[in-house]
Amino acid sequence: NAGVTQTPKFQVLKTGQSMTLQCAQDMNHNSMYWYRQDPGMGLRLIYYSASEGTTDKGEVPNGYNVSRLNKREFSLRLESAAPSQTSVYFCASSEGGRGATDTQYFGPGTRLTVL
Amino acid sequence: GNSVTQMEGPVTLSEEAFLTINCTYTATGYPSLFWYVQYPGEGLQLLLKATKADDKGSNKGFEATYRKETTSFHLEKGSVQVSDSAVYFCALSPNTNAGKSTFGDGTTLTVKP
């Protein structure tokens, strides 16, 4: 099992460009998440999907959109990148559902720089 | 809402020293509690967890006990190694359908030989 995979690993964008970060999991998990990690600020939740077909805003959703394409895949789109979106982005998944202890499994991250 | 507060870092120890990283939480109901570890350049990975009061999670020599009376889940290791150098995150999961976890800000540990 590959676990959680993310592409790309690194990306440099110019201000105003758009891009989509891809995430896939092969653990048949119901829930998926996108976080950003900035120095000294821990992990901040951007969007999450509790189950296939649903998405909800997290703590810092502005400037992002998401798509839960199917149970395996959850993409994050930056429509018009800004320097403030320079960060490391992590995708995660968890079993989800009532009664689950909800350990989260993280991908390796995408390091995004916006110039 | 739920919150997690963990000891501020960075923490620097010599090899074989005793480690404690404090973590306290605020939550309604009976959450599960976790410690995750992040090695340089990698994503977070589960270190240990506890799902109910008085449970002790343990892995790789690390331990933490779920203390409901003090709302704490402190991480301990008796003898740290250089390879334990990493960032440690305390987290809670509310065990509801929403399943959203709340993470602390992370504590950076550096172990010197």
PDB file of all heavy atoms in Angstrom, chain A residues 66-96:
ATOM      1  N   VAL A  66     -11.739  22.985  -3.274  1.00  0.00           N
ATOM      2  CA  VAL A  66     -11.415  21.561  -3.237  1.00  0.00           C
ATOM      3  C   VAL A  66     -12.441  20.778  -4.040  1.00  0.00           C
ATOM      4  O   VAL A  66     -13.556  21.238  -4.282  1.00  0.00           O
ATOM      5  CB  VAL A  66     -11.378  21.003  -1.795  1.00  0.00           C
ATOM      6  CG1 VAL A  66     -10.179  21.543  -1.038  1.00  0.00           C
ATOM      7  CG2 VAL A  66     -12.680  21.294  -1.069  1.00  0.00           C
ATOM      8  N   SER A  67     -12.032  19.575  -4.426  1.00  0.00           N
ATOM      9  CA  SER A  67     -12.930  18.633  -5.090  1.00  0.00           C
ATOM     10  C   SER A  67     -12.665  17.249  -4.534  1.00  0.00           C
ATOM     11  O   SER A  67     -11.503  16.792  -4.542  1.00  0.00           O
ATOM     12  CB  SER A  67     -12.691  18.623  -6.601  1.00  0.00           C
ATOM     13  OG  SER A  67     -13.008  19.860  -7.174  1.00  0.00           O
ATOM     14  N   ARG A  68     -13.716  16.608  -4.052  1.00  0.00           N
ATOM     15  CA  ARG A  68     -13.593  15.197  -3.664  1.00  0.00           C
ATOM     16  C   ARG A  68     -14.049  14.410  -4.881  1.00  0.00           C
ATOM     17  O   ARG A  68     -15.232  14.166  -5.090  1.00  0.00           O
ATOM     18  CB  ARG A  68     -14.467  14.885  -2.455  1.00  0.00           C
ATOM     19  CG  ARG A  68     -14.321  13.442  -1.945  1.00  0.00           C
ATOM     20  CD  ARG A  68     -13.028  13.215  -1.236  1.00  0.00           C
ATOM     21  NE  ARG A  68     -12.855  11.845  -0.798  1.00  0.00           N
ATOM     22  CZ  ARG A  68     -13.191  11.381   0.407  1.00  0.00           C
ATOM     23  NH1 ARG A  68     -13.733  12.190   1.305  1.00  0.00           N
ATOM     24  NH2 ARG A  68     -12.965  10.128   0.726  1.00  0.00           N
ATOM     25  N   LEU A  69     -13.106  14.007  -5.700  1.00  0.00           N
ATOM     26  CA  LEU A  69     -13.392  13.424  -7.011  1.00  0.00           C
ATOM     27  C   LEU A  69     -14.046  12.057  -6.883  1.00  0.00           C
ATOM     28  O   LEU A  69     -14.904  11.686  -7.689  1.00  0.00           O
ATOM     29  CB  LEU A  69     -12.088  13.320  -7.800  1.00  0.00           C
ATOM     30  CG  LEU A  69     -11.343  14.663  -7.951  1.00  0.00           C
ATOM     31  CD1 LEU A  69      -9.940  14.435  -8.505  1.00  0.00           C
ATOM     32  CD2 LEU A  69     -12.119  15.611  -8.844  1.00  0.00           C
ATOM     33  N   ASN A  70     -13.636  11.308  -5.915  1.00  0.00           N
ATOM     34  CA  ASN A  70     -14.187   9.986  -5.617  1.00  0.00           C
ATOM     35  C   ASN A  70     -13.686   9.639  -4.213  1.00  0.00           C
ATOM     36  O   ASN A  70     -13.105  10.500  -3.536  1.00  0.00           O
ATOM     37  CB  ASN A  70     -13.750   8.957  -6.655  1.00  0.00           C
ATOM     38  CG  ASN A  70     -12.261   9.030  -6.936  1.00  0.00           C
ATOM     39  OD1 ASN A  70     -11.454   8.953  -6.005  1.00  0.00           O
ATOM     40  ND2 ASN A  70     -11.886   9.236  -8.189  1.00  0.00           N
ATOM     41  N   LYS A  71     -13.859   8.423  -3.783  1.00  0.00           N
ATOM     42  CA  LYS A  71     -13.462   8.111  -2.411  1.00  0.00           C
ATOM     43  C   LYS A  71     -11.954   8.202  -2.229  1.00  0.00           C
ATOM     44  O   LYS A  71     -11.461   8.536  -1.165  1.00  0.00           O
ATOM     45  CB  LYS A  71     -13.950   6.711  -2.030  1.00  0.00           C
ATOM     46  CG  LYS A  71     -13.843   6.432  -0.542  1.00  0.00           C
ATOM     47  CD  LYS A  71     -14.526   5.132  -0.169  1.00  0.00           C
ATOM     48  CE  LYS A  71     -14.531   4.961   1.345  1.00  0.00           C
ATOM     49  NZ  LYS A  71     -15.191   3.721   1.766  1.00  0.00           N
ATOM     50  N   ARG A  72     -11.188   7.967  -3.285  1.00  0.00           N
ATOM     51  CA  ARG A  72      -9.737   7.926  -3.187  1.00  0.00           C
ATOM     52  C   ARG A  72      -9.077   9.296  -3.286  1.00  0.00           C
ATOM     53  O   ARG A  72      -8.012   9.512  -2.730  1.00  0.00           O
ATOM     54  CB  ARG A  72      -9.158   7.071  -4.333  1.00  0.00           C
ATOM     55  CG  ARG A  72      -9.380   5.594  -4.231  1.00  0.00           C
ATOM     56  CD  ARG A  72      -8.613   4.885  -5.334  1.00  0.00           C
ATOM     57  NE  ARG A  72      -7.175   5.042  -5.184  1.00  0.00           N
ATOM     58  CZ  ARG A  72      -6.399   5.724  -6.008  1.00  0.00           C
ATOM     59  NH1 ARG A  72      -6.900   6.375  -7.059  1.00  0.00           N
ATOM     60  NH2 ARG A  72      -5.098   5.795  -5.808  1.00  0.00           N
ATOM     61  N   GLU A  73      -9.680  10.219  -4.042  1.00  0.00           N
ATOM     62  CA  GLU A  73      -8.954  11.417  -4.445  1.00  0.00           C
ATOM     63  C   GLU A  73      -9.585  12.695  -3.922  1.00  0.00           C
ATOM     64  O   GLU A  73     -10.817  12.863  -3.958  1.00  0.00           O
ATOM     65  CB  GLU A  73      -8.879  11.471  -5.973  1.00  0.00           C
ATOM     66  CG  GLU A  73      -8.136  10.294  -6.579  1.00  0.00           C
ATOM     67  CD  GLU A  73      -8.243  10.294  -8.088  1.00  0.00           C
ATOM     68  OE1 GLU A  73      -9.328   9.975  -8.608  1.00  0.00           O
ATOM     69  OE2 GLU A  73      -7.228  10.617  -8.734  1.00  0.00           O
ATOM     70  N   PHE A  74      -8.724  13.622  -3.495  1.00  0.00           N
ATOM     71  CA  PHE A  74      -9.174  14.893  -2.935  1.00  0.00           C
ATOM     72  C   PHE A  74      -8.180  15.950  -3.388  1.00  0.00           C
ATOM     73  O   PHE A  74      -7.030  15.946  -2.956  1.00  0.00           O
ATOM     74  CB  PHE A  74      -9.198  14.779  -1.406  1.00  0.00           C
ATOM     75  CG  PHE A  74      -9.837  15.923  -0.674  1.00  0.00           C
ATOM     76  CD1 PHE A  74     -10.966  16.551  -1.150  1.00  0.00           C
ATOM     77  CD2 PHE A  74      -9.307  16.348   0.546  1.00  0.00           C
ATOM     78  CE1 PHE A  74     -11.568  17.583  -0.450  1.00  0.00           C
ATOM     79  CE2 PHE A  74      -9.900  17.383   1.266  1.00  0.00           C
ATOM     80  CZ  PHE A  74     -11.034  17.998   0.768  1.00  0.00           C
ATOM     81  N   SER A  75      -8.604  16.850  -4.275  1.00  0.00           N
ATOM     82  CA  SER A  75      -7.680  17.830  -4.839  1.00  0.00           C
ATOM     83  C   SER A  75      -7.907  19.208  -4.241  1.00  0.00           C
ATOM     84  O   SER A  75      -9.008  19.552  -3.813  1.00  0.00           O
ATOM     85  CB  SER A  75      -7.820  17.875  -6.357  1.00  0.00           C
ATOM     86  OG  SER A  75      -9.125  18.292  -6.713  1.00  0.00           O
ATOM     87  N   LEU A  76      -6.843  19.992  -4.237  1.00  0.00           N
ATOM     88  CA  LEU A  76      -6.871  21.363  -3.714  1.00  0.00           C
ATOM     89  C   LEU A  76      -6.456  22.301  -4.831  1.00  0.00           C
ATOM     90  O   LEU A  76      -5.397  22.124  -5.431  1.00  0.00           O
ATOM     91  CB  LEU A  76      -5.904  21.502  -2.544  1.00  0.00           C
ATOM     92  CG  LEU A  76      -5.782  22.897  -1.916  1.00  0.00           C
ATOM     93  CD1 LEU A  76      -7.038  23.244  -1.132  1.00  0.00           C
ATOM     94  CD2 LEU A  76      -4.545  22.969  -1.002  1.00  0.00           C
ATOM     95  N   ARG A  77      -7.271  23.311  -5.112  1.00  0.00           N
ATOM     96  CA  ARG A  77      -6.981  24.229  -6.215  1.00  0.00           C
ATOM     97  C   ARG A  77      -6.755  25.644  -5.700  1.00  0.00           C
ATOM     98  O   ARG A  77      -7.531  26.146  -4.865  1.00  0.00           O
ATOM     99  CB  ARG A  77      -8.106  24.220  -7.244  1.00  0.00           C
ATOM    100  CG  ARG A  77      -7.812  25.111  -8.437  1.00  0.00           C
ATOM    101  CD  ARG A  77      -8.643  24.766  -9.637  1.00  0.00           C
ATOM    102  NE  ARG A  77      -8.377  25.661 -10.750  1.00  0.00           N
ATOM    103  CZ  ARG A  77      -7.360  25.502 -11.609  1.00  0.00           C
ATOM    104  NH1 ARG A  77      -6.522  24.476 -11.486  1.00  0.00           N
ATOM    105  NH2 ARG A  77      -7.191  26.346 -12.604  1.00  0.00           N
ATOM    106  N   LEU A  78      -5.690  26.251  -6.212  1.00  0.00           N
ATOM    107  CA  LEU A  78      -5.422  27.661  -5.992  1.00  0.00           C
ATOM    108  C   LEU A  78      -5.775  28.366  -7.291  1.00  0.00           C
ATOM    109  O   LEU A  78      -5.133  28.143  -8.318  1.00  0.00           O
ATOM    110  CB  LEU A  78      -3.954  27.912  -5.650  1.00  0.00           C
ATOM    111  CG  LEU A  78      -3.454  27.518  -4.274  1.00  0.00           C
ATOM    112  CD1 LEU A  78      -3.419  26.009  -4.093  1.00  0.00           C
ATOM    113  CD2 LEU A  78      -2.072  28.111  -4.023  1.00  0.00           C
ATOM    114  N   GLU A  79      -6.803  29.184  -7.302  1.00  0.00           N
ATOM    115  CA  GLU A  79      -7.273  29.820  -8.539  1.00  0.00           C
ATOM    116  C   GLU A  79      -6.366  30.970  -8.972  1.00  0.00           C
ATOM    117  O   GLU A  79      -6.121  31.173 -10.145  1.00  0.00           O
ATOM    118  CB  GLU A  79      -8.696  30.328  -8.370  1.00  0.00           C
ATOM    119  CG  GLU A  79      -9.742  29.238  -8.234  1.00  0.00           C
ATOM    120  CD  GLU A  79      -9.958  28.461  -9.535  1.00  0.00           C
ATOM    121  OE1 GLU A  79      -9.402  28.859 -10.587  1.00  0.00           O
ATOM    122  OE2 GLU A  79     -10.678  27.433  -9.509  1.00  0.00           O
ATOM    123  N   SER A  80      -5.881  31.738  -8.017  1.00  0.00           N
ATOM    124  CA  SER A  80      -5.021  32.885  -8.320  1.00  0.00           C
ATOM    125  C   SER A  80      -4.021  32.998  -7.176  1.00  0.00           C
ATOM    126  O   SER A  80      -4.308  33.625  -6.144  1.00  0.00           O
ATOM    127  CB  SER A  80      -5.857  34.149  -8.456  1.00  0.00           C
ATOM    128  OG  SER A  80      -5.026  35.260  -8.718  1.00  0.00           O
ATOM    129  N   ALA A  81      -2.871  32.381  -7.362  1.00  0.00           N
ATOM    130  CA  ALA A  81      -1.921  32.256  -6.263  1.00  0.00           C
ATOM    131  C   ALA A  81      -1.400  33.612  -5.782  1.00  0.00           C
ATOM    132  O   ALA A  81      -1.188  34.539  -6.585  1.00  0.00           O
ATOM    133  CB  ALA A  81      -0.758  31.359  -6.677  1.00  0.00           C
ATOM    134  N   ALA A  82      -1.181  33.694  -4.468  1.00  0.00           N
ATOM    135  CA  ALA A  82      -0.632  34.891  -3.837  1.00  0.00           C
ATOM    136  C   ALA A  82       0.579  34.505  -3.001  1.00  0.00           C
ATOM    137  O   ALA A  82       0.660  33.364  -2.526  1.00  0.00           O
ATOM    138  CB  ALA A  82      -1.687  35.545  -2.952  1.00  0.00           C
ATOM    139  N   PRO A  83       1.525  35.417  -2.801  1.00  0.00           N
ATOM    140  CA  PRO A  83       2.703  35.090  -1.984  1.00  0.00           C
ATOM    141  C   PRO A  83       2.348  34.562  -0.597  1.00  0.00           C
ATOM    142  O   PRO A  83       3.096  33.744  -0.040  1.00  0.00           O
ATOM    143  CB  PRO A  83       3.454  36.424  -1.916  1.00  0.00           C
ATOM    144  CG  PRO A  83       3.085  37.125  -3.184  1.00  0.00           C
ATOM    145  CD  PRO A  83       1.650  36.757  -3.436  1.00  0.00           C
ATOM    146  N   SER A  84       1.205  34.994  -0.040  1.00  0.00           N
ATOM    147  CA  SER A  84       0.791  34.521   1.281  1.00  0.00           C
ATOM    148  C   SER A  84       0.446  33.030   1.287  1.00  0.00           C
ATOM    149  O   SER A  84       0.303  32.428   2.359  1.00  0.00           O
ATOM    150  CB  SER A  84      -0.414  35.316   1.781  1.00  0.00           C
ATOM    151  OG  SER A  84      -1.511  35.155   0.893  1.00  0.00           O
ATOM    152  N   GLN A  85       0.326  32.443   0.101  1.00  0.00           N
ATOM    153  CA  GLN A  85       0.033  31.022   0.008  1.00  0.00           C
ATOM    154  C   GLN A  85       1.298  30.170  -0.102  1.00  0.00           C
ATOM    155  O   GLN A  85       1.217  28.947  -0.243  1.00  0.00           O
ATOM    156  CB  GLN A  85      -0.911  30.751  -1.167  1.00  0.00           C
ATOM    157  CG  GLN A  85      -2.294  31.362  -0.954  1.00  0.00           C
ATOM    158  CD  GLN A  85      -3.227  31.154  -2.125  1.00  0.00           C
ATOM    159  OE1 GLN A  85      -2.890  31.508  -3.263  1.00  0.00           O
ATOM    160  NE2 GLN A  85      -4.392  30.592  -1.872  1.00  0.00           N
ATOM    161  N   THR A  86       2.448  30.802  -0.025  1.00  0.00           N
ATOM    162  CA  THR A  86       3.706  30.066   0.080  1.00  0.00           C
ATOM    163  C   THR A  86       3.684  29.270   1.378  1.00  0.00           C
ATOM    164  O   THR A  86       3.507  29.842   2.461  1.00  0.00           O
ATOM    165  CB  THR A  86       4.902  31.029   0.065  1.00  0.00           C
ATOM    166  OG1 THR A  86       4.977  31.658  -1.205  1.00  0.00           O
ATOM    167  CG2 THR A  86       6.209  30.289   0.358  1.00  0.00           C
ATOM    168  N   SER A  87       3.822  27.949   1.263  1.00  0.00           N
ATOM    169  CA  SER A  87       3.665  27.101   2.438  1.00  0.00           C
ATOM    170  C   SER A  87       3.995  25.660   2.050  1.00  0.00           C
ATOM    171  O   SER A  87       4.284  25.353   0.897  1.00  0.00           O
ATOM    172  CB  SER A  87       2.212  27.171   2.942  1.00  0.00           C
ATOM    173  OG  SER A  87       2.064  26.503   4.180  1.00  0.00           O
ATOM    174  N   VAL A  88       3.920  24.785   3.042  1.00  0.00           N
ATOM    175  CA  VAL A  88       3.959  23.349   2.789  1.00  0.00           C
ATOM    176  C   VAL A  88       2.546  22.817   2.995  1.00  0.00           C
ATOM    177  O   VAL A  88       1.926  23.072   4.035  1.00  0.00           O
ATOM    178  CB  VAL A  88       4.941  22.624   3.732  1.00  0.00           C
ATOM    179  CG1 VAL A  88       4.967  21.141   3.409  1.00  0.00           C
ATOM    180  CG2 VAL A  88       6.342  23.222   3.614  1.00  0.00           C
ATOM    181  N   TYR A  89       2.053  22.107   1.993  1.00  0.00           N
ATOM    182  CA  TYR A  89       0.684  21.611   2.023  1.00  0.00           C
ATOM    183  C   TYR A  89       0.686  20.099   2.251  1.00  0.00           C
ATOM    184  O   TYR A  89       1.385  19.350   1.561  1.00  0.00           O
ATOM    185  CB  TYR A  89      -0.024  21.940   0.709  1.00  0.00           C
ATOM    186  CG  TYR A  89      -0.270  23.408   0.554  1.00  0.00           C
ATOM    187  CD1 TYR A  89       0.714  24.248   0.026  1.00  0.00           C
ATOM    188  CD2 TYR A  89      -1.476  23.976   0.964  1.00  0.00           C
ATOM    189  CE1 TYR A  89       0.502  25.616  -0.086  1.00  0.00           C
ATOM    190  CE2 TYR A  89      -1.691  25.341   0.845  1.00  0.00           C
ATOM    191  CZ  TYR A  89      -0.700  26.150   0.330  1.00  0.00           C
ATOM    192  OH  TYR A  89      -0.912  27.505   0.225  1.00  0.00           O
ATOM    193  N   PHE A  90      -0.118  19.681   3.213  1.00  0.00           N
ATOM    194  CA  PHE A  90      -0.234  18.259   3.520  1.00  0.00           C
ATOM    195  C   PHE A  90      -1.662  17.804   3.310  1.00  0.00           C
ATOM    196  O   PHE A  90      -2.611  18.451   3.759  1.00  0.00           O
ATOM    197  CB  PHE A  90       0.157  17.973   4.975  1.00  0.00           C
ATOM    198  CG  PHE A  90       1.623  18.099   5.241  1.00  0.00           C
ATOM    199  CD1 PHE A  90       2.141  19.235   5.840  1.00  0.00           C
ATOM    200  CD2 PHE A  90       2.494  17.077   4.885  1.00  0.00           C
ATOM    201  CE1 PHE A  90       3.498  19.362   6.085  1.00  0.00           C
ATOM    202  CE2 PHE A  90       3.855  17.192   5.127  1.00  0.00           C
ATOM    203  CZ  PHE A  90       4.353  18.337   5.716  1.00  0.00           C
ATOM    204  N   CYS A  91      -1.771  16.665   2.666  1.00  0.00           N
ATOM    205  CA  CYS A  91      -3.036  15.959   2.564  1.00  0.00           C
ATOM    206  C   CYS A  91      -3.025  14.847   3.600  1.00  0.00           C
ATOM    207  O   CYS A  91      -1.961  14.274   3.896  1.00  0.00           O
ATOM    208  CB  CYS A  91      -3.196  15.385   1.155  1.00  0.00           C
ATOM    209  SG  CYS A  91      -4.688  14.420   0.901  1.00  0.00           S
ATOM    210  N   ALA A  92      -4.174  14.536   4.157  1.00  0.00           N
ATOM    211  CA  ALA A  92      -4.277  13.455   5.123  1.00  0.00           C
ATOM    212  C   ALA A  92      -5.598  12.731   4.935  1.00  0.00           C
ATOM    213  O   ALA A  92      -6.540  13.278   4.338  1.00  0.00           O
ATOM    214  CB  ALA A  92      -4.168  13.982   6.558  1.00  0.00           C
ATOM    215  N   SER A  93      -5.669  11.519   5.426  1.00  0.00           N
ATOM    216  CA  SER A  93      -6.928  10.782   5.393  1.00  0.00           C
ATOM    217  C   SER A  93      -7.110  10.056   6.712  1.00  0.00           C
ATOM    218  O   SER A  93      -6.146   9.824   7.458  1.00  0.00           O
ATOM    219  CB  SER A  93      -6.949   9.797   4.225  1.00  0.00           C
ATOM    220  OG  SER A  93      -6.060   8.713   4.449  1.00  0.00           O
ATOM    221  N   SER A  94      -8.354   9.710   6.992  1.00  0.00           N
ATOM    222  CA  SER A  94      -8.670   8.947   8.191  1.00  0.00           C
ATOM    223  C   SER A  94      -9.893   8.090   7.927  1.00  0.00           C
ATOM    224  O   SER A  94     -10.667   8.361   7.001  1.00  0.00           O
ATOM    225  CB  SER A  94      -8.908   9.865   9.394  1.00  0.00           C
ATOM    226  OG  SER A  94     -10.114  10.591   9.238  1.00  0.00           O
ATOM    227  N   GLU A  95     -10.058   7.088   8.750  1.00  0.00           N
ATOM    228  CA  GLU A  95     -11.174   6.166   8.565  1.00  0.00           C
ATOM    229  C   GLU A  95     -12.510   6.893   8.612  1.00  0.00           C
ATOM    230  O   GLU A  95     -13.398   6.653   7.827  1.00  0.00           O
ATOM    231  CB  GLU A  95     -11.113   5.097   9.655  1.00  0.00           C
ATOM    232  CG  GLU A  95     -12.164   4.024   9.526  1.00  0.00           C
ATOM    233  CD  GLU A  95     -12.065   3.004  10.642  1.00  0.00           C
ATOM    234  OE1 GLU A  95     -11.016   2.971  11.309  1.00  0.00           O
ATOM    235  OE2 GLU A  95     -13.029   2.261  10.848  1.00  0.00           O
ATOM    236  N   GLY A  96     -12.659   7.823   9.558  1.00  0.00           N
ATOM    237  CA  GLY A  96     -13.877   8.605   9.676  1.00  0.00           C
ATOM    238  C   GLY A  96     -15.044   7.745  10.127  1.00  0.00           C
ATOM    239  O   GLY A  96     -14.916   6.556  10.364  1.00  0.00           O
TER     240      GLY A  96
END
